Amino acid sequence: MFLIIGLSMRDIAKMGGKLESTIKAQTNAIYRKAGVTGRTQLLSTFIEGLLSTFIEGLMDEALIQRTISRPRL
């Protein structure tokens, strides 16, 4: 999360009481697992995930509303 909000590796290391090299290694592991090459792509992937979850929720809600408002025969 600290990467996404734009903190530097040095600041993240200080906050966690770790070495900057440790944070860099952990960051690279996060990038690999997310299938991205850097901070910008990570942020983009994060936002896409939020939006798709939000849109899916809206679609589910619309489906529920259509189902509820259908007249029963």
Side-chain angles (χ1 to χ4, degrees):
M1 189 57 109
F2 294 129
L3 290 172
I4 291 172
I5 62 172
L7 290 178
S8 70
M9 303 247 189
R10 179 175 288 158
D11 290 338
I12 296 169
K14 283 181 187 176
M15 289 173 53
K18 304 213 186 265
L19 295 174
E20 191 173 347
S21 60
T22 301
I23 300 304
K24 285 181 182 178
Q26 292 172 341
T27 299
N28 287 329
I30 290 167
Y31 293 159
R32 261 193 319 280
K33 287 180 182 180
V36 300
T37 58
R39 201 180 281 230
T40 303
Q41 283 185 335
L42 181 65
L43 177 58
S44 178
T45 301
F46 181 77
I47 291 171
E48 281 179 20
L50 287 176
L51 287 175
S52 68
T53 300
F54 176 72
I55 290 169
E56 286 173 12
L58 289 177
M59 292 173 67
D60 289 345
E61 182 64 27
L63 179 62
I64 290 167
Q65 290 303 319
R66 281 196 307 260
T67 303
I68 292 172
S69 62
R70 263 190 210 149
R72 297 183 186 236
L73 301 175

